[in-house]
Amino acid sequence: MMLRIRGFESKAAECFTKGMLAGNIHLCIGQEAVPTGACMALEPEDYMASTHRGHGHCIAKGADTDKMLAELFGKKTGYCKGKGGSMHIADVAGLHSLGANGIVGAGIPIATGSAFASKIWGDKHVTLCFFGDSASNQGTFHEAINMAAAWKLPVVYLCENNSYGVSTDIHGVTNTDTIAVRAKAYDIPGETVDGNDPVTVYEAVKKAVDYAREGNGPSIVECLTFRHQGHYCGDPAVYRPAEYMEHAHEKDAIPNFRKKLLEQGTATEEELVAIEKAVDEEIEAAYKFANESDYPDPSEATTDVYSSDNERSVVR
Amino acid sequence: MSKKISVSKAIGEALHEEMTRDENVIILGEDMGKMGNVFGITVGFQEEFGAHRVWDTPISESGFCGMAVGAAMRGMRPVVELMYNDFITVAADPIFNQAAKMRYMTGGQATVPMVLRVPMGAGRRNAGQHSQCFENLFCHMPGLKVIAPCSAEDAKGLLKSAIRDDDPVICMEHKLLYAKKEEIPEGEYTIPLGKAAVKREGTDLTIITWSREVNFALEAAAELEKEGISVEVLDLRTLVPLDWEAIVASVSKTHNVIVVSEEVKRGSYAGELSAQIAEELFDELDAPVERVCGLNIVSPFSPTLEDENFPHPADIVKAVKKVLNK
């Protein structure tokens, strides 16, 4: 899974650099262990809300890389028919993926509302809410977690702390060492873990998911991680000290986990090479699918604004 | 068969009937449960339907509006109240960037069947942050539908349709209409979204308006009749989707139009309507379309100041005469 995410992101970066993608993309290279471990702790029926840096979340929740890359290309075969792009990939009915979001912190109340529905229906589904360190400084973080705690809603707040909001160091704008310590304010569990190890992430999130499913309410799980790229693809990230990337490479989950699997004897070199080859093939196929798909017909611009009265509502 | 009830009671009946009909209809907002809403609309609901369907939220408008979006995406039909429409400023993102756009951005996958009830309007001496009319903001945003009923009958029928609609609907309720008692039909009925109503027929000029100003337009029309001027009053009832056919029919008959609204005039929805009529029905017009709106000022507190700030029947009479050159 981590390889699939990195493969997808690397291909997206390549296409963006070649000028094949419009707009902007936010890559999660370096953060792969977090969505991988976190989504493994979910049941397929559980819900997930993502962020602007959300490709990894979607893939980990089960998204097809071909439909995802097609969406990045703005093609009609994409998850959102080319209407959402990188920051709005969703598969609500199928994967229970409630969507990425272009507004930092906006997914937190939406995920909480999903958990609110589960609480009212008593359906036992848990909602996993991804957000970044900087989203924790939005008012929505406080408002939503306060309500989730007061009403014991089945939601897990997963903070991907990569230390930067665009160029701003989280420690320069936040007085606490961790984000998870804020859980105390809501009298809920909060834990900070190494987000560079998928097993550690899995274990922490599994505990929080079980806790939520048993009716105990929300938790905050903070995963410390590294954003290898800048804020957006092409951002040279001159605002970061050199040590940041040194740590990032040292802690890079993909080579480290590979080494660990070999050392433990969990996998052989041949098995790992086979996996790497399969991922390369999948991503190449996704690229071919996205590149060869058609753009939406311009007449599609005015569909899907409304579910009823669409035609007359978009005219006047 | 009909019965006489207040507008607020009619709104309460719509909510009650829809909650009984569909268990996915839930209510959330400030003071909606124990207190039964500051205008008494949901008194007794929490006891009857349970605390899991009528929620007293904390004062977190952005949070609970965003939660309603998430719950609606899952299939709930939340009816959310902002205590005053003015508070949309602190809940702008979940309504404008999330609820309105979710369907489009996901390529038609997500539906957000929520209703946001927003008490609005001047005349209660509530000053600058509790008296505004934000039709322009809500109508601007593609993806939102907007209703603004003027009567008990319309309020009940339109709200019921809004709750059953799969798109997010903003229900603009004028606070000074709540206590008004009117005849409404007995029993179950709905009024479709997007259908205007001719509240008074006339031949010389069309007043296009909605919400509380409909009543002022009718008063003005009665006054003008004494002077031999025949005015048609077209109550839009739904602002988006707009009943353009009704506008065309009326303007093609009277050839003169004023648009009356309580909004700040600059950038108002009244201005948008006036532009559409000027663009598309120019050949039907005998005179330029006149907007009769609030002033471009902050809602004042003092009665003498506030009364300057929204159109009264006398202002409408004056505007009609100006357009008709009488």
Side-chain angles (χ1 to χ4, degrees):
Chain A
M1 182 61 70
M2 292 196 295
L3 280 172
R4 289 179 66 220
I5 297 171
R6 183 157 302 184
F8 180 88
E9 294 292 64
S10 303
K11 179 56 83 176
E14 180 192 321
C15 295
F16 185 84
T17 310
K18 285 183 184 164
M20 300 174 83
L21 303 185
N24 250 329
I25 52 172
H26 307 94
L27 302 173
C28 69
I29 293 173
Q31 302 185 183
E32 295 90 343
V34 183
T36 300
C39 288
M40 278 181 71
L42 297 178
E43 297 297 326
E45 295 294 302
D46 286 336
Y47 285 80
M48 184 276 287
S50 174
T51 71
H52 65 288
R53 198 176 304 286
H55 304 160
H57 310 146
C58 297
I59 295 171
K61 191 72 176 74
D64 292 333
T65 46
D66 52 358
K67 285 164 78 179
M68 280 186 61
L69 201 54
E71 187 61 33
L72 265 60
F73 270 72
K75 300 294 181 73
K76 70 177 185 185
T77 52
Y79 267 106
C80 308
K81 303 192 287 192
K83 288 179 169 169
S86 163
M87 282 190 282
H88 303 290
I89 294 173
D91 186 357
V92 181
L95 295 172
H96 290 184
S97 172
L98 296 166
N101 210 301
I103 305 294
V104 170
I108 305 177
I110 291 174
T112 308
S114 166
F116 186 58
S118 287
K119 168 92 176 184
I120 294 169
W121 284 324
D123 65 14
K124 295 291 171 197
H125 300 326
V126 172
T127 303
L128 175 66
C129 174
F130 286 104
F131 62 99
D133 43 272
S134 297
S136 72
N137 287 332
Q138 285 278 29
T140 50
F141 171 91
H142 166 66
E143 293 189 17
I145 299 183
N146 175 57
M147 280 185 272
W151 299 335
K152 298 216 179 312
L153 305 183
V155 52
V156 175
Y157 296 105
L158 194 146
C159 177
E160 293 179 297
N161 186 347
N162 63 24
S163 299
Y164 283 90
V166 188
S167 68
T168 303
D169 185 339
I170 186 71
H171 299 295
V173 292
T174 303
N175 195 40
T176 54
D177 284 339
T178 71
I179 304 302
V181 73
R182 296 185 188 188
K184 283 184 188 165
Y186 309 103
D187 196 19
I188 60 171
E191 191 181 5
T192 303
V193 301
D194 180 2
N196 305 295
D197 177 28
V199 178
T200 305
V201 173
Y202 167 79
E203 285 167 353
V205 176
K206 184 72 169 63
K207 193 166 72 178
V209 166
D210 291 346
Y211 183 81
R213 208 182 310 279
E214 285 158 14
N216 301 309
S219 313
I220 298 175
V221 178
E222 177 183 15
C223 297
L224 300 177
T225 184
F226 295 93
R227 187 188 78 192
H228 286 197
Q229 303 267 320
H231 169 62
Y232 55 88
C233 186
D235 169 14
V238 291
Y239 42 80
R240 284 193 311 217
E243 302 84 60
Y244 181 91
M245 280 312 294
E246 284 166 23
H247 290 141
H249 287 305
E250 254 168 52
K251 299 283 284 178
D252 190 350
I254 290 179
N256 290 344
F257 196 65
R258 191 182 200 286
K259 201 168 148 223
K260 191 169 152 192
L261 289 174
L262 289 172
E263 281 170 5
Q264 287 176 341
T266 314
T268 64
E269 178 67 26
E270 292 71 34
E271 283 170 332
L272 293 177
V273 169
I275 291 171
E276 285 156 358
K277 185 164 174 282
V279 168
D280 286 346
E281 284 167 7
E282 177 194 340
I283 300 302
E284 277 312 308
Y287 168 73
K288 191 167 184 295
F289 175 81
N291 194 32
E292 290 175 4
S293 289
D294 291 331
Y295 283 104
D297 189 86
S299 66
E300 279 287 308
T302 52
T303 62
D304 294 325
V305 183
Y306 295 93
S307 58
S308 62
D309 306 302
N310 185 79
E311 203 173 328
R312 67 179 171 147
S313 296
V314 299
V315 174
R316 290 187 188 86
Chain B
M1 283 289 286
S2 69
K3 59 183 176 185
K4 197 166 188 181
I5 65 172
S6 66
V7 172
S8 56
K9 181 84 179 128
I11 291 167
E13 277 194 5
L15 294 170
H16 192 277
E17 287 177 15
E18 292 307 300
M19 288 188 77
T20 306
R21 180 179 165 272
D22 181 352
E23 64 176 18
N24 290 326
V25 177
I26 56 169
I27 290 179
L28 59 161
E30 290 152 7
D31 308 301
M32 298 303 286
K34 276 212 179 70
M35 183 181 180
N37 165 266
V38 291
F39 297 103
I41 287 172
T42 52
V43 169
F45 277 41
Q46 200 177 54
E47 288 85 347
E48 185 176 347
F49 293 105
H52 67 297
R53 294 192 60 199
V54 184
W55 293 80
D56 276 319
T57 63
I59 301 177
S60 302
E61 287 90 359
S62 185
F64 68 73
C65 285
M67 281 175 60
V69 175
M73 287 173 73
R74 291 281 310 274
M76 283 283 175
R77 290 188 177 269
V79 182
V80 185
E81 186 192 89
L82 284 182
M83 195 180 283
Y84 290 88
N85 97 141
D86 311 63
F87 302 168
I88 189 62
T89 52
V90 288
D93 185 71
I95 302 304
F96 295 156
N97 266 330
Q98 310 299 331
K101 295 173 181 168
M102 202 56 81
R103 182 178 173 78
Y104 192 86
M105 293 188 304
T106 60
Q109 290 179 55
T111 53
V112 185
M114 68 180 282
V115 173
L116 184 70
R117 295 182 38 252
V118 290
M120 64 156 177
R124 292 179 84 240
R125 319 313 185 198
N126 283 337
Q129 297 164 339
H130 291 75
S131 309
Q132 299 166 90
C133 290
F134 279 151
E135 289 92 322
N136 54 346
L137 297 183
F138 293 117
C139 292
H140 168 77
M141 199 55 66
L144 298 180
K145 293 177 176 173
V146 183
I147 57 175
C150 80
S151 70
E153 180 178 354
D154 288 351
K156 180 175 174 182
L158 285 167
L159 180 55
K160 283 168 69 76
S161 293
I163 293 170
R164 296 180 195 185
D165 199 276
D166 281 339
D167 295 315
V169 182
I170 309 297
C171 179
M172 307 197 74
E173 302 166 2
H174 200 295
K175 290 165 293 197
L176 283 183
L177 295 176
Y178 280 144
K180 209 163 164 273
K181 286 198 171 175
E182 292 170 333
E183 296 287 332
I184 74 163
E186 290 277 5
E188 171 86 28
Y189 70 94
T190 60
I191 294 173
L193 303 186
K195 287 281 173 209
V198 176
K199 289 283 159 82
R200 179 191 173 108
E201 292 202 18
T203 53
D204 295 333
L205 179 142
T206 301
I207 299 177
I208 297 174
T209 187
W210 57 88
S211 193
R212 185 181 180 217
E213 291 291 336
V214 172
N215 299 324
F216 287 171
L218 290 169
E219 280 182 43
E223 196 61 36
L224 288 158
E225 189 183 26
K226 293 177 196 160
E227 300 179 39
I229 298 171
S230 169
V231 169
E232 179 144 308
V233 176
L234 183 64
D235 174 8
L236 289 181
R237 303 197 293 189
T238 302
L239 307 183
V240 179
L242 183 60
D243 189 349
W244 182 246
E245 291 74 23
I247 292 175
V248 172
S250 186
V251 174
S252 304
K253 180 170 74 171
T254 65
H255 308 293
N256 290 290
V257 188
I258 68 170
V259 187
V260 181
S261 143
E262 229 185 76
E263 303 161 274
V264 164
K265 191 173 193 175
R266 182 172 59 228
S268 62
Y269 191 58
E272 166 61 25
L273 293 171
S274 145
Q276 288 189 26
I277 294 165
E279 277 176 7
E280 298 190 40
L281 300 175
F282 186 75
D283 291 343
E284 293 289 348
L285 293 174
D286 289 344
V289 180
E290 181 90 1
R291 293 167 297 155
V292 184
C293 298
L295 304 173
N296 296 329
I297 62 170
V298 176
S299 267
F301 165 64
S302 180
T304 56
L305 302 176
E306 187 181 31
D307 288 346
E308 277 297 296
N309 190 32
F310 54 88
H312 295 266
D315 302 312
I316 299 172
V317 167
K318 201 169 137 195
V320 170
K321 287 182 175 171
K322 181 184 164 199
V323 170
L324 295 177
N325 208 13
K326 288 190 175 174

